[in-house]
Amino acid sequence: MTYVITHATKWYYEYMLLTYQYKLNPTPEQVVILETWGELLRRHWNYALGQRLDWLRRTRSQIDRCSLVFEPIGEIPDKPDYYTQASNLKQTKQLFPDYKNIYADCQQQNLMRLDKAWKRWLIPDKKGKRGGRPRFKKRGDITSFTFPRVNSPKAGTHLTSNVLKLSKIGEIEVILHRPIPDGFEIKQATILRKADGWYVSFSLEDKTVPESLPIDEIKSATGIDVGLEKFLTTADGQSVEVPQYYRKAQATLARQQRQLARKTKGSKNYQKQANKVARLHLHIARQRKEFHYQVAHWLVKSYDLIVFENLNIKGLARTRLAKSILDVAWGAFLQIMQAVAVRRGKHTTGVDPRGTSINCSSCGARVEKPLAVRVHSCSCGLVIDRDWNAALNLLKRGSVELPIPGCGGLGNTQPMKQQVSYVNLRA
């Protein structure tokens, strides 16, 4: 089954980039070429990363003393960066003729990826955070490469009807399960391998960015409180149940992994069984992503403004509830929801979640209760579901000074509304 997935990858002031992904049907000879490219690019990545780490090791020492373990011997090389390493591609092709069979832009994109990973590690972002240290790639780790130009005179790839022509590879059939919209320009193409075959991801430039709905025209708003008992609860009392795709597949996954442990590592049977495990993980990820899109489209279609909580998901994932938190994937859902909202011209905003489950949404009093208590009962007479109360508090915080109707307190006792099931979301 081919999943239809549309999401905004980057947001600009004048246009938007969308990613459309299609299945490829390469011949066995083309599969060998694609795998060879990935292996050669992996070796080049490791060599270029080794150059950078060697320069860093030779030029770095403690601020108050020299190292007693080792010292650099010989002439210290110049600092390597993307431009110096890209200029050495010509020499690489002379020493290793196999690299002549790889399209030049793909090799440059491989070095660009390394340069971005290197800068994320050494240069902190605006919040002072840095990425992890770039790692050497094992065999099979690099499963994608990018053609930065498509359908242009000097491009390495051209799409004609359902045929993708790649430089030095040939023509590959593309399973176009949906047409590319008229007026969209294909900016780049990324060839990638998954557990069930090869795919191509087209980055499309959409210049028809919808204008955001004016603030004074917002007619409906809601707050959403995400959780583990219910995936989310809205400010009007509707909730979406947790699908738990990973937990439901745990028994099957454990059985497949036990069979994998019995195989001889590196054998053909081991590779076949490893592919079965990878396909199962891929199926779970696709189920979860499809569910996220269904919920996101339902929310954006129903409300003009959606207020969500800015959670420290990485911190929560270090607790004993880590498996359940990673299974629901709140962070991925919030990114998808914001992208869908931008595409439809709706508004989303994140607020501080502290105190939303404890404070009363009607009178504002602080009602302490442990996590096991799922009902909010206040002395003012309000008795509602704990998550519903939190969603109402989120809506109040996110709609401050906005002329939005229906953002006041409940003021009376109301029963919990019927849950919105996953089946209803797809209808």
Side-chain angles (χ1 to χ4, degrees), residues 115-397:
D115 190 61
K116 290 180 180 179
W118 184 264
K119 290 179 179 178
R120 281 197 301 267
W121 177 43
L122 296 179
I123 303 176
D125 58 10
K126 295 180 179 179
K127 297 182 179 180
K129 297 181 179 180
R130 299 189 302 177
R133 172 180 171 176
R135 299 181 180 181
F136 291 102
K137 304 293 185 180
K138 298 179 182 178
R139 182 179 293 272
D141 280 356
I142 292 185
T143 58
S144 65
F145 41 87
T146 301
F147 292 85
R149 293 173 291 183
V150 182
N151 290 343
S152 61
K154 296 183 179 180
T157 179
H158 295 79
L159 179 65
T160 305
S161 183
N162 66 331
V163 176
L164 183 67
K165 185 177 181 181
L166 302 177
S167 177
K168 299 181 182 294
I169 295 179
E171 297 181 351
I172 303 178
E173 179 187 4
V174 182
I175 302 176
L176 291 174
H177 59 272
R178 57 174 173 172
I180 295 178
D182 295 333
F184 281 39
E185 181 183 355
I186 304 178
K187 303 299 291 185
Q188 69 178 21
T190 300
I191 312 298
L192 67 156
R193 184 184 63 188
K194 296 187 177 182
D196 60 344
W198 290 87
Y199 289 81
V200 57
S201 293
F202 293 119
S203 294
L204 309 177
E205 180 182 300
D206 180 14
K207 297 183 179 180
T208 60
V209 178
E211 296 183 0
S212 298
L213 186 70
I215 298 297
D216 54 355
E217 295 184 11
I218 295 178
K219 298 180 180 179
S220 59
T222 189
I224 57 172
D225 179 76
V226 295
L228 298 179
E229 183 180 354
K230 295 180 287 291
F231 180 70
L232 63 83
T233 303
T234 64
D236 55 2
Q238 298 187 94
S239 63
V240 180
E241 56 191 15
V242 178
Q244 292 187 330
Y245 293 116
Y246 179 76
R247 286 193 177 274
K248 291 178 180 178
Q250 268 189 296
T252 304
L253 184 60
R255 184 171 60 253
Q256 296 293 337
Q257 288 176 329
R258 283 196 298 270
Q259 295 180 14
L260 177 63
R262 298 189 186 105
K263 309 295 182 184
T264 302
K265 193 170 184 179
S267 64
K268 288 290 184 180
N269 289 334
Y270 182 90
Q271 295 176 3
K272 291 180 181 179
Q273 187 61 31
N275 183 257
K276 289 183 180 180
V277 175
R279 289 170 72 99
L280 183 56
H281 279 292
L282 182 62
H283 177 66
I284 296 171
R286 284 173 170 170
Q287 283 182 306
R288 185 184 296 115
K289 196 169 189 178
E290 177 71 7
F291 170 74
H292 286 167
Y293 271 102
Q294 295 288 347
V295 177
H297 280 285
W298 169 70
L299 284 173
V300 175
K301 182 180 179 181
S302 304
Y303 306 100
D304 297 332
L305 171 65
I306 303 170
V307 183
F308 60 91
E309 45 191 341
N310 290 323
L311 295 172
N312 180 16
I313 300 176
K314 288 185 178 180
L316 293 173
R318 298 189 185 100
T319 64
R320 59 185 179 87
L321 300 174
K323 184 184 293 185
S324 298
I325 291 173
L326 295 176
D327 191 10
V328 295
W330 295 326
F333 165 72
L334 293 177
Q335 288 182 352
I336 290 174
M337 184 190 68
Q338 293 177 74
V340 172
V342 170
R343 194 75 184 91
R344 293 195 176 193
K346 300 297 183 68
H347 296 272
T348 60
T349 181
V351 297
D352 187 0
R354 286 179 293 184
T356 53
S357 296
I358 298 176
N359 298 334
C360 181
S361 59
S362 179
C363 64
R366 189 176 181 87
V367 182
E368 299 286 349
K369 48 187 175 293
L371 188 61
V373 178
R374 306 310 303 173
V375 177
H376 171 82
S377 179
C378 183
S379 58
C380 68
L382 180 64
V383 181
I384 60 173
D385 183 86
R386 175 195 186 109
D387 298 331
W388 188 1
N389 177 72
L392 286 169
N393 285 325
L394 290 170
L395 176 58
K396 285 184 176 181
R397 292 186 183 183

